[in-house]
Amino acid sequence: ETGVTQSPTHLIKTRGQQVTLRCSSQSGHNTVSWYQQALGQGPQFIFQYYREEENGRGNFPPRFSGLQFPNYSSELNVNALELDDSALYLCASSPGLAGGVADTQYFGPGTRLTVL
Amino acid sequence: DAKTTQPPSMDCAEGRAANLPCNHSTISGNEYVYWYRQIHSQGPQYIIHGLKNNETNEMASLIITEDRKSSTLILPHATLRDTAVYYCIAHKAAGNKLTFGGGTRVLVKP
C-alpha cells in the first residue's frame, strides 16, 4: 500500500463531456504527478504539481488541467472529452525533495476512464 | 531522461532467481536508475532505485555496472505474484516526469 488513493475507480463518459478525477496523496508529500496510460502502453506524463503550482507538463493539450490543494489532495480535469482520452489515469505522489536527491514517486491504483 | 532498452518479455521458473537486464548507455551523472513493476490493471509499484552502488531491499537487488551504462534487477526467489511488466527508468534527481518505455513482461511459471 502506497497511501495514495484515487476516485472514482471506474468512470464512463460521452464525447464532449467534462470529467474530474481525484487523488489523495501520501501525508507529507507536497508533489503530485498525473499520468495517462492507454491500453497496452506505458504511462505517459501529463503534468506535475509542487506546492500547488504546476511544475512541468508533458505533451498534452490545455483541456487537461489540474489543481493541487493544501490538504494533499489533487484533481485532474479534462474538458471536451475525446474517444482517445479513454485510458487509465494514474496519480503519483512524492516528497518533493530538492538539491539533487532522488524523489521517488508512489502511484495510486488509477481511475479507468471510458469515453463513448 | 535517458532512453532505456529492455527485452520485451521473459519467462522465469517459480522459486528461481529472475534477472532482468536494462541498457541505459546515455545515462547522465545525475540520473538515477529506477525500477517499477505493474501488475495487470494496477498502478505501477516502486521496487528499487540506485545511482552508482548496488542496492538491495526486501523486494529485490539492483546491480549497476561500473560505467553505469546498464543494470540488472534481481528478484531472488520469483513467485507467481511477481508476474508483471517491469519498467527500468533513468530519472533525474528531483526531476518531474518519469519516462516509461515498453518494459519487460515477466511471466513466472510453476
Side-chain angles (χ1 to χ4, degrees):
Chain A
E1 291 297 326
T2 62
V4 180
T5 60
Q6 293 186 244
S7 63
T9 305
H10 296 86
L11 198 54
I12 299 174
K13 291 286 189 178
T14 56
R15 196 171 48 182
Q17 286 189 312
Q18 178 268 341
V19 69
T20 298
L21 309 182
R22 293 179 173 83
C23 172
S24 179
S25 298
Q26 246 188 61
S27 179
H29 283 189
N30 56 20
T31 300
V32 64
S33 306
W34 286 89
Y35 294 81
Q36 179 196 66
Q37 186 173 23
L39 204 59
Q41 298 182 20
Q44 299 294 309
F45 176 74
I46 302 174
F47 45 56
Q48 184 184 80
Y49 278 79
Y50 172 68
R51 293 184 174 175
E52 302 165 48
E53 296 287 333
E54 188 175 293
N55 181 44
R57 188 178 186 92
N59 189 24
F60 282 82
R63 60 189 185 85
F64 285 78
S65 63
L67 285 171
Q68 185 186 25
F69 304 103
N71 66 350
Y72 306 116
S73 67
S74 60
E75 292 179 353
L76 165 65
N77 298 287
V78 187
N79 294 321
L81 282 167
E82 301 177 358
L83 298 179
D84 285 348
D85 295 334
S86 294
L88 180 68
Y89 287 86
L90 298 156
C91 77
S93 77
S94 52
L97 301 174
V101 180
D103 186 24
T104 301
Q105 297 186 17
Y106 298 91
F107 285 82
T111 293
R112 174 73 60 187
L113 172 65
T114 302
V115 182
L116 302 177
Chain B
D1 296 344
K3 179 177 166 58
T4 61
T5 304
Q6 301 176 251
S9 65
M10 63 183 292
D11 293 346
C12 175
E14 187 180 20
R16 304 294 293 271
N19 296 305
L20 283 61
C22 179
N23 181 283
H24 32 80
S25 58
T26 61
I27 196 169
S28 59
N30 67 346
E31 288 183 307
Y32 288 77
V33 178
Y34 270 83
W35 284 83
Y36 284 80
R37 72 180 183 184
Q38 189 170 26
I39 297 168
H40 183 62
S41 293
Q42 298 180 20
Q45 178 187 23
Y46 165 75
I47 301 173
I48 199 168
H49 74 278
L51 186 61
K52 298 179 188 177
N53 300 320
N54 298 336
E55 302 288 344
T56 295
N57 63 20
E58 65 278 3
M59 289 183 67
S61 295
L62 173 60
I63 308 298
I64 303 173
T65 58
E66 193 167 340
D67 63 9
R68 299 208 332 120
K69 293 185 177 182
S70 65
S71 61
T72 301
L73 179 75
I74 301 172
L75 306 177
H77 304 286
T79 71
L80 299 179
R81 287 184 295 180
D82 291 323
T83 291
V85 178
Y86 287 76
Y87 295 99
C88 168
I89 299 167
H91 181 51
K92 282 189 174 57
N96 47 27
K97 68 176 182 179
L98 292 170
T99 302
F100 288 80
T104 297
R105 190 171 299 274
V106 174
L107 177 61
V108 180
K109 296 181 174 180

